[in-house]
Amino acid sequence: VTIETECSGIDTQVYVLREMRVPYEHAFSCENDPEAVKTIRANTKPDCMYDDITKRDVHSMKSVDIYVAGFPCQPFSVAGKQQGFDDELGRGTIFFKGFKYIRVHKPKVFILEKVKGIKTLHQANYVRTIIKILAYSIIYISTSSNIGLILLN
């Protein structure tokens, strides 16, 4: 199984595979927090490390079986300003970088982190847009409070 993680903190999903004794290849990670990058490099050792999801070339990246992304939650969370795709710091559009990877490489499974409030924010328009963009009938959602548990939403 090949896996990659983007915007996923310390790569907890890779730890889950290891703990479950699933043979895996950690193709790459993408994380911009320097402390998280140190942890990733020390513990999960991806083949390639990207530090900016907005600057990586999707077409030159390796295809994987499992694509995992924990996009910035502030634009969509009930705890943030709820600016969605129009987030003043540009975090709301990070979703589209992950979607591009999914469209180009078509992983067997993709896991996107659930953000509290995204299903109801702006009358669920963001969720509908996300589903339409993905053009998949099922979204798998990983919740950080239940690491390793994949929920059908």
Side-chain angles (χ1 to χ4, degrees), residues 17-35:
L17 290 177
R18 185 183 306 153
E19 288 301 310
M20 293 175 63
R21 301 188 194 288
V22 174
Y24 68 90
E25 174 192 348
H26 189 178
F28 64 90
S29 287
C30 182
E31 176 57 55
N32 68 354
D33 179 280
E35 293 303 313

Side-chain angles (χ1 to χ4, degrees), residues 70-91:
F71 302 106
C73 62
Q74 299 91 334
F76 305 97
S77 172
V78 295
K81 292 184 179 180
Q82 299 182 335
Q83 295 173 322
F85 298 139
D86 299 319
D87 179 68
E88 61 195 27
L89 298 177
R91 299 169 297 189

Side-chain angles (χ1 to χ4, degrees), residues 56-59 95-105:
R56 61 179 179 39
D57 176 18
V58 170
H59 297 283
F95 271 111
F96 297 106
K97 302 301 181 183
F99 295 154
K100 185 172 182 179
Y101 181 89
I102 292 168
R103 283 194 305 263
V104 169
H105 293 282

Side-chain angles (χ1 to χ4, degrees), residues 71-83 95 112-122 126-127 141-145 153:
F71 302 106
C73 62
Q74 299 91 334
F76 305 97
S77 172
V78 295
K81 292 184 179 180
Q82 299 182 335
Q83 295 173 322
F95 271 111
L112 306 177
E113 180 181 6
K114 179 181 178 181
V115 175
K116 184 173 183 167
I118 195 167
K119 292 190 307 184
T120 56
L121 182 63
H122 295 276
Y126 290 114
V127 169
I141 299 179
S142 172
T143 63
S144 57
S145 64
N153 199 19

Side-chain angles (χ1 to χ4, degrees), residues 41-95:
R41 288 190 171 160
N43 296 307
T44 63
K45 299 174 177 58
D47 295 341
C48 183
M49 186 76 208
Y50 299 96
D51 64 357
D52 190 339
I53 193 172
T54 66
K55 295 180 180 173
R56 61 179 179 39
D57 176 18
V58 170
H59 297 283
S60 68
M61 297 171 79
K62 183 175 182 172
S63 292
V64 297
D65 299 315
I66 303 172
Y67 174 87
V68 181
F71 302 106
C73 62
Q74 299 91 334
F76 305 97
S77 172
V78 295
K81 292 184 179 180
Q82 299 182 335
Q83 295 173 322
F85 298 139
D86 299 319
D87 179 68
E88 61 195 27
L89 298 177
R91 299 169 297 189
T93 59
I94 297 296
F95 271 111

